[in-house]
Amino acid sequence: MSPPDQMPETGPSQFVIAIDGPAASGKSSTSQWVAQRLGIRHVDSGALYRAATAAALRVEPDADRWTPEGVLAAASSIQLVPTDRTFAALLDGQDCDEELRSTAVTSQVSRVARMQPVREWVNARVREAAREHAVVVDGRDIGTAVFPDAALKIFLVADPWERAKRRLVQRLERLPSDGEVAEETERLVQRDAKDSQQTVQAADAVLIDSTYLTQAEQVDRIESLARAVSRNTDGSSEVDGGGWKRYF
Ligand code: CDP
């Protein structure tokens, strides 16, 4: 078994783990952790939608005036660059993570995500990243639209109240009040509704409900599944003429 910090060579037969699910279901943090355990990279597709939204806001603060062409033009200021274990979406060469997570961006991102040319632009960036590296990719449609042949597909869900609470604990770094959780739950449910078209569970995805799981338990499950899939596909797969490697 390769040491965890060894980056597998992927070549043409890339190894992709797709983790999809609704807002704040813990996809990004879980994906990062799983990628770290396996010694591969994480790609956060949502960060690209957020970066496109932030870029559009910089050019035109009135979102009602946005067009797909305008958003795509603004998105030309974005670069997806490999960092130690993940890929950062930079705006004009700068890491703007706080801006990407801001309320202004979060409240408009679903509008941008419904623009088909923007989806194609994001999908192309994500596929480019996966061409070079074995990856864990998180999003809404990774196991269906972006990598329908992913080696492992997970659909991560949790009760909306629990998701809202986790997101607030992460943001506020304290326990939120019930009133705060109720407001955040409402916002998440509204965003889920706006994202419903693009949030698709693949028929062959493994459904994990993390409502009563700790994050470590959820990461353990996905890591075991990934290692099992990797062993099962060792040299015997039809994929890429049997050139499919054992990765971890
Ligand atoms: O972390 P959270 O689940 O709140 O959101 P995110 O993964 O950062 O994604 C932000 C937004 O991008 C979502 O609300 C979707 O509108 C959009 N998105 C998408 O449409 N398709 C993806 N594959 C990933 C994100």
Side-chain angles (χ1 to χ4, degrees), residues 1-6 8 15-17 32-40 85 135-136 151-154 206 218-236 244-248:
M1 188 184 297
S2 313
D5 58 349
Q6 191 177 318
F15 185 88
V16 176
I17 299 174
Q32 259 175 43
W33 200 346
V34 169
Q36 192 181 8
R37 291 253 188 106
L38 300 175
I40 63 178
R85 275 277 169 253
V135 285
V136 182
L152 174 65
K153 302 176 186 177
I154 304 288
V206 177
Q218 159 183 322
V219 168
D220 286 347
R221 280 191 194 187
I222 300 173
E223 181 189 358
S224 313
L225 287 167
R227 291 189 189 279
V229 164
S230 170
R231 274 193 299 276
N232 288 341
T233 50
D234 181 15
S236 56
W244 197 247
K245 292 189 205 116
R246 180 173 176 174
Y247 283 95
F248 331 109

Side-chain angles (χ1 to χ4, degrees), residues 22-24 27 45-46 49-50 101 109-110 113 119 139-142 167 191 195 198:
K27 302 178 300 290
S45 65
Y49 288 103
R50 287 176 179 274
R101 310 280 148 204
V109 66
S110 303
R119 300 201 73 76
R140 301 285 190 289
D141 57 347
I142 304 303
R167 173 81 16 129
R191 190 147 61 91
D195 286 335
Q198 59 254 27

